[in-house]
Amino acid sequence: MLCYFFENFRNDGYEKSLETARKVASDMNVDPIFRTKRPICRKKQFDENDENEELQYLDESFRINYFLVVVDMTIASLKERFEQLKIFESIFGFLYDSDKLKSLNDSELRDCCILLKNMLSHNDSSDIDLNDLFSELRVLRMTLSDKPMTAVQILEFVRSADCYPNISITYRIFLTMPVSVASAERSFSKLKLIKTYLSSTMSQERLNYIATLCIEKEKLEDIDIDTIVDDCAFTNIRRKHIL
């Protein structure tokens, strides 16, 4: 749907975008004109209408060299991202929720397990066992309640039951596998704020700890810091008892 919108926007959105840009420029007291290079003086012929032709040239040049390039790059990026999501969905799609899991028959479920096992295998070694995973999923389908459950809720149920080791591994891989680069980009942005030229001599271990605290700030707020401080105080070998 999003790709369809940008494909239509590529054909019909230029004039609307140009009109919107002119209104924004007028509100900011900026002349709504295209920036031009220093004109080259040359002898004009008697039948040349240079003003209109120059405006048409600038308008068409902006549409071709900027507007269409940006929109085409956006469409290409979206298609590439959606192709990756389709591959991810074909591998882990049957684990999305309980309804999807229960809708599969035994043959379809086994095919999904085979595909997943092949993707999680390397050099004849794998984190999961195919037959055990298939058997555990068959039992899990009968164990889950009729109420729809998300993947996170299924993992919590599996961990509380503590009898589905292969399913637990599978869901942990599924829920921690990044499907975008946004989190990685935010982590690098945070790293630039931490490791500056004033703090460039800190060790790698300390940098990892500080970066984790900054990136996982929401989880840090739930931690009782007073307890950690007390533990550090009591384990400090330089601490002396004052009588």
Side-chain angles (χ1 to χ4, degrees):
M1 192 68 182
L2 190 59
C3 292
Y4 179 75
F5 167 79
F6 276 102
E7 289 173 354
N8 290 335
F9 182 75
R10 184 185 189 278
N11 299 325
D12 306 327
Y14 178 70
E15 294 297 333
K16 296 180 181 178
S17 301
L18 198 62
E19 186 64 27
T20 302
R22 290 193 178 109
K23 291 181 180 178
V24 173
S26 300
D27 294 339
M28 299 176 63
N29 296 324
V30 178
D31 294 333
I33 57 176
F34 291 107
R35 180 179 297 180
T36 59
K37 297 181 180 180
R38 183 177 178 180
I40 300 176
C41 297
R42 65 179 181 83
K43 184 177 179 180
K44 298 182 177 63
Q45 302 298 326
F46 70 95
D47 59 344
E48 285 186 343
N49 189 0
D50 56 346
E51 183 176 359
N52 292 334
E53 289 181 358
E54 181 71 14
L55 291 176
Q56 292 177 0
Y57 170 77
L58 292 174
D59 182 79
E60 186 65 14
S61 176
F62 180 82
R63 189 183 75 86
I64 295 174
N65 298 324
Y66 181 78
F67 176 80
L68 293 181
V69 171
V70 172
V71 176
D72 289 342
M73 290 177 61
T74 303
I75 294 174
S77 299
L78 287 173
K79 288 183 178 180
E80 181 181 359
R81 178 62 54 82
F82 287 137
E83 288 296 329
Q84 295 174 357
L85 290 177
K86 287 180 180 178
I87 296 175
F88 184 83
E89 194 275 337
S90 65
I91 300 172
F92 294 95
F94 70 106
L95 302 173
Y96 280 175
D97 51 47
S98 58
D99 292 339
K100 180 67 175 179
L101 188 60
K102 292 181 179 180
S103 65
L104 302 176
N105 56 41
D106 289 347
S107 177
E108 294 172 339
L109 181 62
R110 187 169 184 82
D111 291 339
C112 293
C113 292
I114 293 174
L115 178 60
L116 179 62
K117 193 261 183 183
N118 293 334
M119 292 300 300
L120 299 181
S121 300
H122 179 69
N123 292 335
D124 297 330
S125 63
S126 177
D127 293 327
I128 59 175
D129 183 87
L130 173 61
N131 296 323
D132 290 345
L133 177 63
F134 176 64
S135 300
E136 291 175 13
L137 287 173
R138 291 183 62 189
V139 176
L140 181 64
R141 288 190 305 180
M142 297 183 292
T143 308
L144 294 176
S145 63
D146 295 333
K147 182 180 178 181
M149 299 176 64
T150 63
V152 176
Q153 293 172 335
I154 294 176
L155 177 60
E156 293 176 351
F157 175 82
V158 168
R159 296 183 65 179
S160 62
D162 195 20
C163 58
Y164 303 99
N166 289 275
I167 295 179
S168 178
I169 295 173
T170 302
Y171 269 98
R172 279 185 290 164
I173 295 175
F174 165 54
L175 293 174
T176 56
M177 181 174 293
V179 294
S180 70
V181 298
S183 58
E185 290 176 353
R186 286 196 296 267
S187 299
F188 278 109
S189 299
K190 181 63 69 173
L191 186 63
K192 291 180 180 179
L193 299 177
I194 299 172
K195 191 173 179 61
T196 63
Y197 75 97
L198 295 176
S199 59
S200 59
T201 59
M202 72 171 68
S203 63
Q204 184 65 43
E205 185 179 7
R206 177 179 174 83
L207 178 62
N208 292 339
Y209 290 152
I210 296 177
T212 302
L213 292 175
C214 294
I215 295 170
E216 304 294 342
K217 184 179 179 181
E218 295 180 356
K219 295 183 178 180
L220 178 63
E221 294 176 351
D222 298 332
I223 298 177
D224 187 2
I225 301 179
D226 294 334
T227 304
I228 299 176
V229 172
D230 293 338
D231 292 341
C232 292
F234 281 106
T235 56
N236 192 342
I237 60 175
R238 293 178 297 176
R239 181 175 180 270
K240 295 181 180 181
H241 294 281
I242 300 176
L243 299 178

